[in-house]
Amino acid sequence: MYTMNPTKPVILTGVRANNDIHIGNYFGAILPIVDMAKRRSTDFDINLFIPDLHSFTTPIDHSKLYDSILNNARIYTAAGLPLDNAAIHLYRQSRVPAHSELAWILDCFTGFGEMSRMTQFKDKSDKLHGDQISVGLFNYPVLMAADILLYNATYVPVGDDQTQHLEFTRDIAERMNRKFGELFTVPKPVAEQHQFFGKDQGLRIKDLANPTKKMSKSDDTGKGVIFLGDNPRVAHKKIMSATTDSLGKVQYDRENQPGISNLLEILTLVRQDAGRDVTLEQTISEFTGMERYGDFKRIVADETAEFLTNFQARLAAVDEPAIEAKLQSSEQAMNLVANQTLHRVQKAVGLRR
């Protein structure tokens, strides 16, 4: 059985496993993660985990969660994740119990005020009411810290909405190290994370109906979101109905023409996924000045529908037994590493001799 190489630094990342995944998740996170894992696995151990315990910090349909977790692994595989690469670990958070226990220990060294200042909690709780606002949502950053610290992860690619959580991870690690000795590897600060990953970060696709905000699973109407499981004809209609502007000329201008700019980015990404060697700048050059928005939308809609058709075929063809074998072998290896860290912490706080 393969175990992690203690001399190699660790990159840790993951994408939440609830609801259908949309093209913003795919192009902005999953595909860059897979590309990064393939390129960097020679020099790093890649911990690609499915954060299923995070999946119900907000209300979900629990009858669909298990299938969503496995679908997350299928999507990584369909996106090109090499299951035979021993340096890439694909595992479910809930199959490593140390995540939960370390989170509890860290909870007891975390201030209520620290969690109260987390902007993502404020943003998400504003959209909920009453008992929907759970303690799990409130202390989500503590579990995220446990996810990272259990494996001595140095690099963790984070979006803008997660930078505060990464800084908390650094704070709690340094706090515990000061109090108990060198328990944890402190991940690099946010600025160094961005510098390290740089080109590994994908474009952030915006909502089709409201292109000033990012495409989100929480869009109740679904009109502005293209899910990977959408019927290609449905996705085609969503593109054709996308919000644009009244300027009547295609050009890339995120501030004044966010809808058109978003469509130019989507077109670039689906073409790249089809194997075409094209940059955003080349797509912009090809369509700048085009005056018939309907014709431009139809091109984007046609190629997006073709992308979905091809991706769904790849998804249907993934090797399910190979995925299950990868999950099991990775989870065995991750339990060994995580339990070593947990035991060190348990001894430090007085739970073990």
Side-chain angles (χ1 to χ4, degrees):
M1 181 187 69
Y2 178 82
T3 57
M4 293 175 68
N5 183 341
T7 65
K8 290 174 70 176
V10 175
I11 297 173
L12 182 142
T13 188
V15 176
R16 238 171 79 149
N18 56 309
N19 302 325
D20 196 356
I21 291 176
H22 56 68
I23 63 170
N25 303 136
Y26 180 76
F27 288 116
I30 289 173
L31 203 56
I33 284 171
V34 170
D35 290 342
M36 177 274 295
K38 289 191 290 189
R39 287 189 294 103
R40 295 187 182 271
S41 60
T42 300
D43 301 315
F44 293 84
D45 264 311
I46 311 296
N47 283 20
L48 178 48
F49 80 115
I50 301 171
D52 47 2
L53 293 175
H54 291 297
S55 294
F56 45 97
T57 54
T58 52
I60 64 166
D61 182 347
H62 288 269
S63 68
K64 297 179 179 179
L65 178 58
Y66 189 79
D67 286 339
S68 295
I69 294 166
L70 292 180
N71 195 51
N72 198 308
R74 295 185 193 107
I75 287 172
Y76 279 119
T77 307
L81 186 73
L83 298 179
D84 59 351
N85 187 326
I88 298 174
H89 314 283
L90 179 66
Y91 60 101
R92 292 161 287 196
Q93 179 190 35
S94 64
R95 302 303 175 98
V96 185
H99 286 253
S100 301
E101 182 164 352
L102 182 59
W104 172 254
I105 294 173
L106 297 180
D107 271 337
C108 296
F109 294 90
T110 299
F112 179 83
E114 283 182 291
M115 292 298 98
S116 300
R117 291 190 291 272
M118 293 292 165
T119 55
Q120 195 175 77
F121 170 73
K122 295 175 183 177
D123 292 344
K124 289 191 174 183
S125 59
D126 283 346
K127 300 173 184 176
L128 303 171
H129 54 82
D131 291 341
Q132 288 184 321
I133 305 172
S134 70
V135 175
L137 178 62
F138 182 73
N139 75 344
Y140 163 98
V142 183
L143 179 56
M144 179 173 165
D147 299 335
I148 297 167
L149 298 177
L150 279 171
Y151 304 99
N152 306 305
T154 304
Y155 292 104
V156 185
V158 292
D160 293 339
D161 58 344
Q162 295 285 334
T163 57
Q164 200 176 20
H165 297 172
L166 182 60
E167 288 301 344
F168 166 74
T169 300
R170 286 172 46 78
D171 290 344
I172 191 66
E174 291 171 346
R175 183 180 311 154
M176 298 292 283
N177 287 351
R178 284 194 300 269
K179 187 173 182 66
F180 297 108
E182 294 301 310
L183 292 178
F184 299 119
T185 297
V186 180
K188 300 291 186 183
V190 170
E192 289 187 41
Q193 300 283 353
H194 290 327
Q195 182 180 12
F196 176 78
F197 288 106
K199 61 185 178 181
D200 294 332
Q201 303 298 302
L203 292 171
R204 299 304 181 198
I205 293 178
K206 302 295 185 179
D207 187 278
L208 296 173
N210 182 1
T212 61
K213 68 175 187 178
K214 70 177 183 179
M215 190 173 285
S216 172
K217 299 175 185 177
S218 60
D219 177 8
D220 293 332
T221 68
K223 294 180 180 178
V225 183
I226 295 176
F227 294 100
L228 292 179
D230 275 350
N231 184 300
R233 293 191 300 275
V234 172
H236 194 284
K237 290 178 181 178
K238 289 179 181 180
I239 295 283
M240 295 303 296
S241 300
T243 298
T244 52
D245 54 67
S246 58
L247 298 180
K249 185 174 290 187
V250 172
Q251 54 188 1
Y252 189 79
D253 184 340
R254 263 287 170 206
E255 182 175 350
N256 298 307
Q257 293 185 266
I260 289 294
S261 300
N262 192 40
L263 293 177
L264 285 165
E265 292 183 357
I266 291 172
L267 181 58
T268 301
L269 291 167
V270 298
R271 286 180 168 183
Q272 290 174 346
D273 192 79
R276 294 176 60 175
D277 186 15
V278 60
T279 64
L280 175 60
E281 290 72 23
Q282 288 170 328
T283 305
I284 293 169
S285 177
E286 180 181 350
F287 292 97
T288 293
M290 188 174 184
E291 296 181 352
R292 295 173 65 91
Y293 282 179
D295 291 344
F296 172 61
K297 283 184 175 182
R298 190 166 290 105
I299 292 169
V300 180
D302 287 346
E303 297 197 28
T304 302
E306 183 178 0
F307 155 73
L308 285 177
T309 298
N310 293 335
F311 179 80
Q312 289 167 10
R314 296 203 304 268
L315 190 63
V318 298
D319 187 338
E320 299 277 352
I323 292 174
E324 186 60 39
K326 181 67 172 180
L327 288 170
Q328 290 184 10
S329 64
S330 292
E331 285 157 8
Q332 288 177 349
M334 294 303 98
N335 269 290
L336 289 174
V337 177
N339 287 340
Q340 289 174 358
T341 304
L342 179 60
H343 190 255
R344 186 166 67 245
V345 175
Q346 289 169 331
K347 286 173 63 178
V349 300
L351 294 173
R352 299 283 187 274
R353 287 199 181 274

